[in-house]
Amino acid sequence: MLAEPATTLTDYGIALETLLFALVLGHRGGAGQVYLWASAFGSVSLAALLGGTYHGFADQLSQASQGLMVQGVALALASFWAVAAAVWATRSSRRTWLGLAGGKLALALALIGSSWGFAIQVIDYLSALALVLGLYGWKTARPGAGPTPWSLGWMMMALAISGLAALVLALPRLVSSFISPVAGYHLVQMVALYCLYRGVSRRG
């Protein structure tokens, strides 16, 4: 019997969804940024798998706390890979932006074990999406090849919907009568991840 069925199943849903995204992008290949995005989705998949296992079987796992630490590392890495992919696409000031992404990663890793660990992970992820959107938007505004406005629109939706998912966590009474706040967050986040995938896949 699962300890938290809805949270576990929605976590596993994210794990499967993002694993498929990672496999499709990895199979497609091409520019280096595609592999970076595949790594980002793969890291999210691992984090969701660990999160679902924790929420479903924590009372049966002797190393549950260690699993949560690994989950936090995977989420922090996902944010880093996403920013790195956007930096790769800009083809300028890479060292500066990668240094910023590395510093953000170090800070997120340092705060994993704090009482605000999950909130930090959400903030880290949202800030990464904002950076990605800003970098892609900057490249789109410059002359030459860049993400299409349609792709940028998908990324904007991903950031907006992820913000809505965070709101579900911040205001749990909005969903508590129907489903747990964390499960609600997962369901909304699945839509945001799909939008992000559509944006980075550049298929419109």
Side-chain angles (χ1 to χ4, degrees):
M1 188 69 178
L2 297 176
E4 300 177 58
T7 303
T8 301
L9 294 177
T10 51
D11 242 332
Y12 284 166
I14 289 178
L16 179 59
E17 177 192 32
T18 49
L19 177 61
L20 290 174
F21 293 161
L23 291 175
V24 171
L25 290 172
H27 178 71
R28 181 183 305 172
Q33 63 177 306
V34 175
Y35 293 111
L36 290 171
W37 277 117
S39 297
F41 283 118
S43 296
V44 172
S45 181
L46 174 60
L49 178 63
L50 291 170
T53 302
Y54 169 78
H55 286 292
F57 308 99
D59 55 346
Q60 304 171 37
L61 300 174
S62 59
Q63 303 297 326
S65 60
Q66 292 185 20
L68 279 183
M69 292 290 287
V70 176
Q71 179 198 27
V73 171
L75 284 174
L77 284 173
S79 295
F80 174 79
W81 294 131
V83 175
V87 169
W88 183 283
T90 63
R91 298 183 180 181
S92 61
S93 304
R94 284 182 176 174
R95 289 186 179 181
T96 300
W97 286 111
L98 285 177
L100 177 62
K104 191 168 77 68
L105 172 63
L107 180 61
L109 292 176
L111 296 174
I112 283 176
S114 70
S115 58
W116 289 86
F118 187 69
I120 294 299
Q121 292 169 17
V122 173
I123 293 171
D124 180 54
Y125 176 73
L126 287 175
S127 64
L129 281 185
L131 275 172
V132 167
L133 183 60
L135 287 168
Y136 274 114
W138 175 54
K139 182 172 176 59
T140 302
R142 297 171 64 197
T148 65
W150 189 250
S151 295
L152 202 61
W154 280 107
M155 292 181 190
M156 291 175 67
M157 284 193 291
L159 179 58
I161 295 172
S162 290
L164 177 62
L167 188 63
V168 169
L169 282 177
L171 302 173
R173 290 185 180 180
L174 293 175
V175 295
S176 60
S177 59
F178 303 101
I179 193 173
S180 73
V182 177
Y185 169 80
H186 290 160
L187 289 173
V188 178
Q189 195 61 26
M190 288 178 74
V191 179
L193 287 164
Y194 172 74
C195 292
L196 182 61
Y197 168 74
R198 289 296 299 271
V200 304
S201 63
R202 295 192 183 186
R203 286 190 172 181

